[in-house]
Amino acid sequence: MSEPSQQFHLFLDVLSPPTQVAGADKIEVPAGISFLEAPVGQPPRLLRATEMRDAAFLLEPILRARQPRLLLISPGTRRVRVNGQPAPRLTLLSVKDQVQFTPDYLLHVTLYHRSSIGPPAPAAIGRECPICRAPFLPSTTVYVCPACATPVHCEGEERGAERLECIRLGPDCPVCGAPVLPEGYSYVPELCRG
Ligand SMILES: [Zn+2]
Ligand SMILES: [Zn+2]
């Protein structure tokens, strides 16, 4: 997979003082390891590679038992609260978790799914659909599972009565069991401020 089809986003919520946040209202966590700074009294933010600090928190999206999780490692003596409880130094975050780095800000964990419906990737042409066993043609349309990257037929009305809609036969990926999801957030948090 060249570009991840799902990405962790952290929605920023201000607990006190109830003022407008300067800058972005959410943090988009890239693939791989990234570092986050959370000084007291300021909103948490991702650091650029050039501004590495010892006191930064480490974030890394991972798959655990095929479920997307966000690894969080706290520096030194800093500890976060997850869902109101003190969390260990090494924590695995899930969608819907609420993370507090400092008392004033709350981050809601959610996943953004990119649209993964389109023509098959060049490497997938000629491979068999896991449901109907027909090989993928360049002219077909496939859904690509965000968890295991398996393509499955997902042709639309334009193909007429002969269309292959294998992905619509069930709610889950036939190979790994991950839910079939449309583009958008898997969970939209209700923020404290309006
Ligand atoms: Zn098929
Ligand atoms: Zn899958």
Side-chain angles (χ1 to χ4, degrees):
M1 280 190 292
S2 51
E3 194 184 328
S5 56
Q6 54 187 4
Q7 184 180 37
F8 275 103
H9 286 188
L10 306 173
F11 277 70
L12 186 61
D13 213 351
V14 188
L15 301 179
S16 74
T19 47
Q20 211 48 42
V21 187
D25 281 352
K26 66 172 190 274
I27 295 170
E28 299 181 11
V29 182
I33 291 172
S34 50
F35 293 92
L36 179 138
E37 177 185 62
V40 174
Q42 285 175 44
R45 67 180 187 98
L46 284 187
L47 294 173
R48 286 182 291 275
T50 49
E51 40 175 12
M52 276 298 310
R53 302 217 172 100
D54 290 342
F57 294 84
L58 182 150
L59 291 172
E60 185 182 12
I62 61 166
L63 281 179
R64 176 87 169 230
R66 295 202 174 112
Q67 295 302 310
R69 308 289 293 272
L70 185 58
L71 172 68
L72 167 64
I73 302 177
S74 301
T77 55
R78 294 282 301 271
R79 289 293 178 271
V80 298
R81 295 178 85 86
V82 177
N83 304 324
Q85 301 298 318
R89 175 155 191 263
L90 196 152
T91 303
L92 276 179
L93 300 171
S94 306
V95 169
K96 294 187 183 178
D97 276 347
Q98 302 184 352
V99 194
Q100 255 182 296
F101 292 91
T102 58
D104 296 342
Y105 297 93
L106 187 65
L107 290 172
H108 302 262
V109 180
T110 186
L111 264 180
Y112 188 81
H113 303 273
R114 283 205 179 76
S115 175
S116 42
I117 293 172
I125 292 168
R127 269 175 64 184
E128 284 183 1
C129 171
I131 293 194
C132 71
R133 298 287 167 202
F136 294 118
L137 305 172
S139 59
T140 192
T141 304
V142 295
Y143 168 87
V144 180
C145 173
C148 72
T150 300
V152 185
H153 283 120
C154 182
E155 294 177 347
E157 306 271 324
E158 73 284 355
R159 302 281 297 187
E162 299 293 291
R163 66 181 179 268
L164 294 166
E165 302 179 283
C166 304
I167 197 63
R168 300 202 172 90
L169 294 177
D172 303 321
C173 169
V175 172
C176 77
V180 173
L181 296 161
E183 171 141 3
Y185 284 103
S186 60
Y187 157 73
V188 178
E190 253 182 59
L191 301 185
C192 295
R193 68 207 145 94

